[in-house]
Amino acid sequence: MDISKHPNECIFHLLTRAARRGGRAFKAAIEDLGLTAVQGRVLNLLWVMGDARATELGEQVELDSATITGVLDRLAVLGLIERRQDENDRRVARIFLTPAGNELGQKINDRVVPANEAFLDGMTENEVAALKKFLKQL
Amino acid sequence: MDISKHPNECIFHLLTRAARRGGRAFKAAIEDLGLTAVQGRVLNLLWVMGDARATELGEQVELDSATITGVLDRLAVLGLIERRQDENDRRVARIFLTPAGNELGQKINDRVVPANEAFLDGMTENEVAALKKFLKQL
DNA sequence: ACATTTTATCTTGCATGCAAGATAATGAAT
DNA sequence: ATTCATTATCTTGCATGCAAGATAAAATGT
């Protein structure tokens, strides 16, 4: 199949479409908790990691420093996280969950597995494993 | 593998990361032409389709009407496209490439296949086919 | 014909996404 | 110690991404 005349064969096109659909599905899964998809992913990631540096979170969710700063700002305003200067390296902003953030992080976590299953409905376990393997190596 | 403790197993996480990497790769492939990744994809799509309604373009690239409006605005300012009211249905904005847009659309198209190959380097043809099939059905 | 509903696009407001550059603190080299 | 390079974060400016709602034109129902 010739990509040049079939946009649907272009990997960039396909990845963008799939990611947007996934983003909407995840957003729908956590919408009632009052967070956007990105905020939810960052909060859940922090819940899994315990605490982390701002840049570390950004790397995990593939956001650059400019973007993660804004996301953390909003999570802080919502009272879900706290920024504390690292004692050993005062350049570092160490991020902690507040009790409210911890609670919400866990709630999101409880929904991740069902949301994944719903989104991947129709694919066999082997197919899902293959898809994930491909996505990881890109 | 338990997703709840391993963000890297979450399909939303994996799709977002892969799509962002793809976006950067595509952007790098067309950067010297002076367009963003989204603008490039829309212009190339229009080049393939000949002409199209605004909404039609938005559906293809998975952008909603609010977003596609802005993208088309910028492409129009750059002198690459023209908006003409459809004669049969005056609600419809029919989008046409200008000569400059047509030329640029083709240049982008010439780079799509090489950029795909570079990005998918390391995967076999069968793996690529499987990946695309999965992405299409999500 | 007229009111209602639907459709295509645009507008507004806010949240990413990212390039480029500013700032401050650490580390390395002399 | 002082200079230089590096690192972590933040700021600015502009381009998506999208919810909600406005607007105008077309289709539908009575």
Side-chain angles (χ1 to χ4, degrees):
Chain A
M1 193 119 44
D2 179 11
I3 297 174
S4 59
K5 285 287 185 181
H6 295 276
N8 288 328
E9 292 303 314
C10 174
I11 190 65
F12 309 117
H13 187 80
L14 290 168
L15 281 173
T16 303
R17 283 178 61 124
R20 276 224 250 298
R21 289 178 179 178
R24 285 197 284 265
F26 182 65
K27 185 192 170 87
I30 65 163
E31 203 157 36
D32 61 304
L33 301 177
L35 295 182
T36 66
V38 172
Q39 289 167 358
R41 288 205 307 124
V42 170
L43 196 71
N44 183 228
L45 185 61
L46 192 53
W47 182 84
V48 170
M49 295 174 75
D51 73 298
R53 292 174 301 130
T55 304
E56 213 174 342
L57 287 172
E59 280 166 6
Q60 283 295 315
V61 292
E62 203 84 14
L63 298 179
D64 84 344
S65 66
T67 305
I68 196 69
T69 295
V71 175
L72 294 177
D73 281 349
R74 278 161 226 120
L75 290 174
V77 167
L78 293 171
L80 301 171
I81 66 162
E82 248 184 81
R83 261 186 259 238
R84 284 183 226 153
Q85 208 175 38
D86 188 288
E87 292 183 0
N88 298 323
D89 185 341
R90 288 182 311 192
R91 289 170 304 182
V92 173
R94 195 154 282 280
I95 315 297
F96 293 88
L97 286 169
T98 63
N102 189 60
E103 207 174 308
L104 202 48
Q106 176 155 23
K107 271 186 195 163
I108 293 171
N109 209 64
D110 293 340
R111 300 188 185 185
V112 169
V113 172
N116 265 259
E117 283 168 358
F119 188 70
L120 294 171
D121 188 44
M123 291 180 72
T124 68
E125 280 203 25
N126 283 339
E127 288 173 336
V128 170
L131 172 59
K132 288 183 181 177
K133 176 171 157 286
F134 295 150
L135 292 177
K136 284 179 201 170
Q137 74 189 43
L138 284 182
Chain B
M1 195 119 42
D2 178 11
I3 298 173
S4 59
K5 285 286 184 182
H6 296 276
N8 287 327
E9 291 304 313
C10 174
I11 189 64
F12 308 118
H13 187 81
L14 291 168
L15 281 173
T16 304
R17 282 177 62 122
R20 276 229 249 299
R21 289 180 178 175
R24 285 197 284 265
F26 182 65
K27 184 191 170 84
I30 65 164
E31 202 158 37
D32 60 304
L33 301 177
L35 295 181
T36 66
V38 172
Q39 289 168 359
R41 288 206 305 124
V42 170
L43 196 71
N44 184 227
L45 185 61
L46 192 55
W47 183 84
V48 170
M49 294 173 75
D51 73 298
R53 292 173 300 130
T55 304
E56 212 172 345
L57 287 172
E59 280 165 5
Q60 284 295 316
V61 292
E62 202 83 12
L63 297 180
D64 84 344
S65 66
T67 305
I68 195 70
T69 295
V71 175
L72 294 177
D73 282 349
R74 277 163 226 119
L75 289 174
V77 167
L78 292 171
L80 300 171
I81 66 162
E82 249 183 81
R83 262 184 259 238
R84 284 182 225 152
Q85 206 176 38
D86 189 286
E87 291 183 0
N88 298 321
D89 184 341
R90 287 183 311 192
R91 290 171 301 183
V92 173
R94 196 154 283 280
I95 315 297
F96 292 89
L97 284 169
T98 62
N102 189 60
E103 207 174 309
L104 201 48
Q106 176 155 23
K107 272 187 194 162
I108 294 169
N109 209 64
D110 292 340
R111 300 189 186 185
V112 169
V113 173
N116 266 260
E117 283 168 359
F119 188 70
L120 295 171
D121 188 44
M123 290 180 71
T124 68
E125 280 202 26
N126 283 340
E127 288 173 336
V128 170
L131 172 59
K132 288 183 181 178
K133 176 172 157 286
F134 295 149
L135 292 177
K136 284 179 201 170
Q137 74 190 43
L138 285 182

